[in-house]
Amino acid sequence: VFASDGKVSIAEAKQLWENAHVGSGGISEHDRETLLYTLGILNYTEKAAAFLRPLLAGRAGTAKSHFKEINGRVYDRQLLEKAEDFAKNGQISFAEARELWEDVQDGKAVAKIEKETLLYTMSLHKYTAKAAAFLQPLLEHGMPKSHVKQVAGQKYDRGLLEKAEEFAKNGEISYAEAKELWCYVHDGKALNDMDLRTLSYTMATWKYGEKAVAFLRPLLDAGSPKPPHRHVEGYIFDHELLEKAERFGKDGQISFAEAKELWEATQDGKAITQIQRETLLHTLAVYKY
């Protein structure tokens, strides 16, 4: 039945194992041989086969149930434990939410138990605003496209790659666009290895402007959590421009030379962005020039 649509998914492989692995006695030799036989004749997804083969090769009775019952509802144990680990420092980040979503992707639709588990984690743990905004629509509507793209055997963030590729179409990635790429993966927690690897890959693949390189390279080298944008009363502004204007305005007004320096900070060979424009307009309203 599971293979009638072409493949057996990891969620379905877990269910097969759970059905065979009952009680403290573990899986019987007959059930083990049956599952090994299905691996030989049916098309399992890569994740499903990687899950099932080690269990079938191990000793009977050593595997813990891959499901957990809470208040009469059954959830995926691995997803629960991973979300719980991510939330130990207070919240689940955008990068961690993407990792949870990627765990349920294996070429078939997300299984009901996986979807319910992720929804349960959202009710149980605090997700950052960016993480929740990413995950909630996927759980409501579903999205078959993986957020990971493999290039020459390495895994990269698909959304980040596509954004960088789009920015590079007119010749180079600007300072403002480099900030936007950094902001895409940053939401208050340290970047994960995939984010750092993807950004480094974009710098090796596409041309960045001089200011863009000077901005991004130190952040990648340090893994810095510095935010490129700041939220003020529901509006998004350029963090660096705001800090510069705040410093200039401390003595009572922003001078002509300082105004020129603010404008120069937005120039790197491409048109000024909407966020930069709105930030400068905000400083005009807040500070005396």
Side-chain angles (χ1 to χ4, degrees):
V1 174
F2 288 155
S4 60
D5 60 358
K7 291 183 178 181
V8 178
S9 71
I10 185 171
E12 293 163 342
K14 285 181 179 180
Q15 189 171 334
L16 289 171
W17 176 257
E18 194 72 14
N19 289 343
H21 189 273
V22 293
S24 58
I27 187 171
S28 69
E29 191 59 31
H30 177 266
D31 287 339
R32 185 189 306 278
E33 290 178 359
T34 302
L35 288 174
L36 284 169
Y37 176 73
T38 67
L39 279 167
I41 66 165
L42 300 176
N43 188 9
Y44 278 70
T45 67
E46 185 178 342
K47 281 186 177 181
F51 160 79
L52 199 53
R53 287 188 190 281
L55 294 175
L56 293 174
R59 291 188 300 108
T62 59
K64 185 167 62 173
S65 171
H66 291 275
F67 300 112
K68 185 174 183 179
E69 186 172 335
I70 301 173
N71 297 328
R73 304 292 294 270
V74 179
Y75 301 106
D76 184 287
R77 182 183 296 275
Q78 183 183 11
L79 281 177
L80 284 179
E81 291 178 351
K82 180 170 277 197
E84 183 178 2
D85 187 58
F86 286 158
K88 280 181 179 177
N89 67 351
Q91 58 184 0
I92 295 175
S93 72
F94 175 52
E96 291 163 343
R98 284 184 296 162
E99 188 172 330
L100 290 171
W101 179 252
E102 188 59 31
D103 280 353
V104 302
Q105 304 300 302
D106 68 345
K108 292 185 74 170
V110 177
K112 182 181 179 182
I113 192 170
E114 293 170 329
K115 186 175 292 190
E116 290 179 349
T117 302
L118 289 175
L119 285 169
Y120 176 73
T121 69
M122 295 190 78
S123 68
L124 186 65
H125 304 297
K126 181 181 179 182
Y127 280 68
T128 67
K130 193 170 182 179
F134 162 78
L135 195 55
Q136 192 68 50
L138 296 177
L139 294 175
E140 290 174 355
H141 308 297
M143 187 173 123
K145 187 175 175 182
S146 171
H147 287 271
V148 174
K149 183 176 182 179
Q150 287 207 17
V151 180
Q154 283 281 3
K155 291 182 177 181
Y156 300 103
D157 182 272
R158 182 185 299 275
L160 196 54
L161 281 182
E162 291 176 351
K163 190 178 281 284
E165 184 176 13
E166 182 65 28
F167 287 158
K169 281 183 177 177
N170 66 351
E172 69 177 27
I173 295 174
S174 72
Y175 172 54
E177 290 165 342
K179 283 187 175 182
E180 190 170 330
L181 291 174
W182 182 256
C183 191
Y184 176 81
V185 296
H186 182 275
D187 65 346
K189 293 181 80 170
L191 271 66
N192 63 22
D193 289 343
M194 185 184 295
D195 292 330
L196 293 170
R197 184 168 58 248
T198 305
L199 286 171
S200 295
Y201 175 81
T202 68
M203 295 190 78
T205 304
W206 294 293
K207 182 181 178 183
Y208 278 69
E210 187 177 340
K211 284 181 72 173
V213 172
F215 163 76
L216 197 54
R217 176 55 62 195
L219 296 177
L220 292 178
D221 290 343
S224 168
K226 179 183 177 182
H229 296 152
R230 189 196 298 181
H231 293 257
V232 179
E233 296 179 353
Y235 294 94
I236 300 174
F237 299 116
D238 185 286
H239 191 92
E240 184 181 357
L241 278 177
L242 276 186
E243 284 188 340
K244 195 182 283 280
E246 286 169 0
R247 189 170 66 253
F248 290 159
K250 279 183 178 178
D251 62 357
Q253 62 180 9
I254 295 175
S255 70
F256 175 57
E258 291 165 342
K260 284 200 295 182
E261 189 173 331
L262 288 172
W263 179 255
E264 185 61 29
T266 67
Q267 304 302 299
D268 67 344
K270 287 184 127 179
I272 184 172
T273 67
Q274 185 67 24
I275 286 179
Q276 290 171 328
R277 187 185 306 276
E278 290 176 355
T279 303
L280 291 176
L281 287 169
H282 174 73
T283 68
L284 282 165
V286 172
Y287 301 107
K288 182 181 178 182
Y289 278 73

